[in-house]
Amino acid sequence: RWAMGLGLLAVPAVLMAVAHRSLKNVALYSEEQVKRASVLHPLFNSAEHFAAEHWRPSMTQRERLQGITEAYAGTVQALTQIGLSPFLESSSLIGLLRHGGHMPWEVDGDLGVVESECREKGATKEALQAAISGDLEVLKFACSCEEDCEGDNLRMAGRVAHRGTGVCIDIFMYAPVGTLRPWQRAQNSTHTEWWERVDDHADYTFPREMLLPLKHGTFEGIPMMLPRQPKEFLSWEYGRCLGIHIWPWRLLLYCPTSVMIPIAICAKGVALFAGSPACKGHRPSPWVGVLSGVYSAVALGAFQGGITLMILLITWVCEMVAIIIVPELIGVIASRSNKEGMTIRKRYRLVQLVALAAVALELRGCLGQLACQVDDFYFNPLRPKTW
């Protein structure tokens, strides 16, 4: 019993040591830090999202975002010039809805084109390259994939690279589905006109009215077309939960610690160090309070944001379970089954639960996102998952 209780109290020390070692020189705690970071930072998903012949690995994320903006401007203008109506899609469209522009950690750009329009206008790689600005190179383009079509690249009918940074704009074709999926033939779906991203590995299909007719919008100051119902259009690909993923960005950037946390720490300290007025002669054991204070100080000093909150949450849960198993940790009287012992234990548990509630409140965005994703993926998906 004692070994289990003491082992639980040691867990936070091991956790903080591992977290510090893992996050040292890796964690980014603000959007500004993200933009100042190297594009080679391990938190960025940069693999295969650039043109190797133009790639500049020495640039910062801010420079990459600027390159993506410039690539968007030139690509949209050129596609429009050859008679097409490119529209914003995928992660860039999420960025527009969520951040009003680029997500700070964006690595490339995404545009969609209606396949029938492409064929009607006779759009070709040569025509696009002739219309595009000199700082951009058309790596491939056709109304269906004709070059570099291995694996996941099959779904990309076009790709334009920014010569100064190597960032790319991927171009996807959209068309009515050739064959209805079994679930699309189900009741309430028979009168829906289904469209798809052509040759998509995740079988991305959606009702036509989510996309067409396109509407005018702007992205990073660039006039461009948008899907008719952007959020609903994205929901058929990514699910209804379009919030920021819990790891890494929500925990690192969007879970600040408020004044509630120091107040909760102080309240816990008072509960652990102060004797109970109802229990004369009760002398609380100080070392659990000291250990709890040290853990809290390290969590606040060595980490930030959601990392601090997660460490405090785990620390306080371990502490509470340890004291439930070994009540003597907070004093001899607390282990007794009489009225005084029960009073001490109840008071401690009440304060501990209030402290945990404060942490949970600070983590409400993460908890809400997690609940939404579980519901969306397992219980109420818009469409069957194919991966």
Side-chain angles (χ1 to χ4, degrees):
R1 188 168 64 90
W2 274 89
M4 185 179 296
L6 294 175
L8 283 168
L9 291 178
V11 167
V14 176
L15 172 65
M16 283 188 272
V18 171
H20 184 265
R21 182 174 181 178
S22 302
L23 296 174
K24 186 178 181 181
N25 301 322
V26 173
L28 302 169
Y29 290 113
S30 70
E31 291 188 359
E32 182 57 31
Q33 287 183 15
V34 171
K35 293 177 181 178
R36 289 203 309 263
S38 166
V39 291
L40 299 180
H41 193 284
L43 290 180
F44 296 140
N45 182 27
S46 296
E48 299 182 2
H49 290 285
F50 58 86
E53 59 270 33
H54 302 302
W55 178 237
R56 186 157 60 88
S58 61
M59 65 183 167
T60 64
Q61 176 65 7
R62 177 177 277 107
E63 291 174 294
R64 170 157 57 187
L65 293 177
Q66 181 60 36
I68 295 173
T69 301
E70 293 174 3
Y72 261 129
T75 303
V76 169
Q77 182 180 23
L79 287 169
T80 303
Q81 189 173 328
I82 63 174
L84 304 182
S85 301
F87 56 88
L88 196 67
E89 58 123 88
S90 294
S91 63
S92 294
L93 184 56
I94 293 178
L96 178 63
L97 296 183
R98 214 162 57 190
H99 303 269
H102 290 304
M103 293 187 287
W105 50 88
E106 184 63 274
V107 296
D108 66 358
D110 304 289
L111 290 172
V113 171
V114 174
E115 183 184 56
S116 59
E117 181 183 63
C118 180
R119 297 191 185 282
E120 178 186 340
K121 301 296 183 181
T124 64
K125 177 180 179 180
E126 293 72 23
L128 182 60
Q129 185 62 68
I132 212 159
S133 60
D135 58 345
L136 299 176
E137 178 184 356
V138 180
L139 301 180
K140 68 175 188 175
F141 181 77
C143 297
S144 60
C145 188
E146 295 180 357
E147 302 176 66
D148 186 21
C149 299
E150 294 76 24
D152 191 36
N153 288 338
L154 177 63
R155 65 183 184 145
M156 291 186 291
R159 198 172 213 199
V160 176
H162 185 255
R163 297 180 190 273
T165 59
V167 299
C168 293
I169 304 297
D170 297 330
I171 303 171
F172 304 91
M173 291 293 159
Y174 285 80
V177 299
T179 304
L180 288 177
R181 283 57 169 173
W183 61 271
Q184 291 171 343
R185 299 192 189 98
Q187 190 175 4
N188 299 327
S189 297
T190 54
H191 301 294
T192 301
E193 182 180 350
W194 292 95
W195 276 50
E196 66 181 346
R197 180 190 287 150
V198 178
D199 294 322
D200 187 67
H201 69 285
D203 194 30
Y204 172 35
T205 63
F206 54 90
R208 179 185 183 277
E209 62 266 22
M210 303 295 107
L211 174 62
L212 301 174
L214 298 173
K215 64 180 182 179
H216 292 278
T218 59
F219 179 75
E220 294 290 340
I222 305 165
M224 88 176 55
M225 305 304 292
L226 304 176
R228 179 189 179 195
Q229 300 180 48
K231 184 176 180 180
E232 291 75 11
F233 174 77
L234 289 167
S235 295
W236 284 92
E237 179 177 10
Y238 297 97
R240 297 182 183 90
C241 301
L242 300 176
I244 299 165
H245 286 189
I246 296 173
W247 178 257
W249 303 117
R250 184 178 287 275
L251 273 176
L252 290 176
L253 304 185
Y254 305 109
C255 289
T257 53
S258 73
V259 70
M260 284 196 302
I261 299 305
I263 291 174
I265 293 171
C266 292
K268 282 180 75 286
V270 170
L272 287 169
F273 283 110
S276 173
C279 304
K280 295 181 180 180
H282 170 56
R283 293 182 179 180
S285 176
W287 73 273
V288 173
V290 170
L291 186 63
S292 180
V294 169
Y295 283 159
S296 298
V298 173
L300 289 171
F303 306 97
Q304 296 182 45
I307 305 300
T308 293
L309 295 170
M310 289 299 299
I311 289 174
L312 288 176
L313 180 66
I314 295 170
T315 298
W316 293 350
V317 168
C318 288
E319 179 189 310
M320 184 171 68
V321 174
I323 292 174
I324 289 173
I325 295 172
V326 189
E328 294 92 335
L329 289 169
I330 56 173
V332 176
I333 295 179
S335 65
R336 297 175 183 173
S337 58
N338 57 17
K339 183 178 179 181
E340 289 80 6
M342 292 178 62
T343 300
I344 293 169
R345 293 195 299 272
K346 285 181 178 179
R347 186 185 65 162
Y348 168 77
R349 290 172 189 172
L350 176 61
V351 173
Q352 191 75 328
L353 288 172
V354 170
L356 289 172
V359 174
L361 186 62
E362 298 285 79
L363 288 170
R364 60 190 179 277
C366 291
L367 297 175
Q369 181 68 14
L370 177 62
C372 182
Q373 288 180 329
V374 169
D375 177 72
D376 193 53
F377 196 90
Y378 294 103
F379 299 108
N380 297 296
L382 276 175
R383 63 187 180 95
K385 300 297 185 288
T386 58
W387 59 92

